[in-house]
Amino acid sequence: MGLIGGMARTAVVAGTATAVSNRVSRRQSNRWAAQESYAEPPQQQQYQQQYQQQYQPPPAPPAPAPGTDDVIAQLEKLGDLRANGILTDAEFEQQKARLLA
């Protein structure tokens, strides 16, 4: 095989490699474009929204207002504890002073 035959063979191999490489690049590009344009089906979005709503943490209970109703209720409980003999008079007075302070 002469010089021209070797050059011709190299040209054929290089041309084939370029064609294959271009085809692979085009296929990959088409696949990526298809994946980017792929949107979640509406049903899938609906399931995700339902899941998020269902498993959302419950809202925090409202903080008790520092009002007289809360203090009165606690004083009544202390009175009941003293009446049942669970608290002594001294303990009752101590807890009452703490609540009213």
Side-chain angles (χ1 to χ4, degrees), residues 18-32:
T18 301
V20 170
S21 174
N22 287 342
R23 183 167 185 248
V24 169
S25 294
R26 248 190 330 272
R27 288 181 66 198
Q28 285 180 343
S29 177
N30 290 340
R31 283 183 186 168
W32 291 337

Side-chain angles (χ1 to χ4, degrees), residues 27-101:
R27 288 181 66 198
Q28 285 180 343
S29 177
N30 290 340
R31 283 183 186 168
W32 291 337
Q35 286 177 353
E36 288 175 3
S37 66
Y38 174 79
E40 291 182 353
Q43 187 178 23
Q44 182 69 21
Q45 290 175 351
Q46 181 183 8
Y47 288 144
Q48 285 180 349
Q49 289 172 354
Q50 288 176 351
Y51 178 81
Q52 289 171 353
Q53 290 172 355
Q54 184 177 4
Y55 292 103
Q56 244 180 356
T68 57
D69 293 339
D70 189 39
V71 173
I72 291 173
Q74 290 181 355
L75 285 173
E76 287 175 350
K77 288 179 184 178
L78 285 175
D80 290 341
L81 291 173
R82 182 178 68 168
N84 291 331
I86 297 173
L87 290 178
T88 63
D89 288 337
E91 291 171 334
F92 172 77
E93 292 299 326
Q94 182 184 14
Q95 292 298 322
K96 183 174 96 173
R98 183 185 60 84
L99 284 174
L100 296 175

